[in-house]
Amino acid sequence: MSLKEIKIFLILILFFSCKNKQEHIQTPEIKTQEYHIYCDESELKQMFENYRDNNYIPITIKKENIQRNAGMRIRGDSSRDYDKKSLKIKILDSLSIDAKMIFNFNAEYSDLSFLRSFISSKIFKKMNYPCFSTSFSKIYINDNYHGFFLEVENMDKNFLKKNGLNPNGDLFKATKDGACLYSLSELTTKWEKKTNKKSSYISLEKLIYDLSNIKDEDFYDYIIENFDYPMLIDFLAINAFIANGSTYYHNYYLYRDLENNGKWILLPWDLDKTISYYDWKPYKYNETSSDWESDNILIEKCFLNEQIFSDFKKRIEFIGTIINGKFYNPIFDSAIQNLKHEIINDSTNKIKS
């Protein structure tokens, strides 16, 4: 073998070894964490009987050798009616667990894949879009196995900091069905301010007013001036790509940092009804609300604007080059390996096989 052939041979070995190493690194490892909750049995029974209430019961939460005093309640909206309830826990001590003071444990009862929120949040993150983190957890209450849950990162100041956003900005949650930016009457009944809670809703009030009164010919310029345009296009495109039929009227956040450019950003929430969850009807990107509610005027006007709609379609095509089999298959393989036993072992799940 000549010196030239030896060099080529070594280069090929190096190339394939690096390629295999890179593929190995990209394969996600899905881990399950374990939490132990201790509380009074009568208070626990009362919490589940009055699952529509937002009253916290006192608990102690423990992870490995870390223990904190906390409060616990049932969380969610329509999901509260399911047999398996989602849980919200707030630590009352000054010290956190894994830098977290609030825990959201989602039952994922209606998602027979148990993966929709998990995968959809990873798609947002893969596209470098700010999105909550998700992980899997086993919950024990008073030393009895309570079930397998999806842990969902809380949307708060810590989330904003973690994603490079100013924690002093205004974060609004579309907390009830019908939060469609359609009417000022929404402000007091369908929106919740998650930061700067003592300040007014005037910025959101102005946005709703402007959207209703802006002329069609001025709409594109208004969006460029008042929204982070690349992020708006990404939000629209990713939601369409994952067939998110449960947003724009609920399950999203609006954020605005007045100290910097003051432009609005939309943030995702509650992604359990994505990836063709509604199998009884085809997903339609332009259905921005339920039949009995107003359409989301922001999203509707975006889709009706020729330039925005063109940018939206181009971005979907680009997302398809990133989110493909190379992205999905390692997640599926890891899920089958690491989650199968845990999901089947939870008798409170809808999943039986």
Side-chain angles (χ1 to χ4, degrees), residues 106 156 158 255 281 330 345:
N106 284 8
D156 51 24
N158 288 332
Y255 170 80
K281 68 173 183 177
N345 195 42

Side-chain angles (χ1 to χ4, degrees), residues 313-330:
K313 290 189 292 183
K314 288 176 185 176
R315 195 60 177 168
I316 293 177
E317 291 177 0
F318 174 75
I319 293 170
T321 66
I322 305 296
I323 309 301
N324 50 31
K326 290 180 180 178
F327 171 85
Y328 287 118
N329 291 334

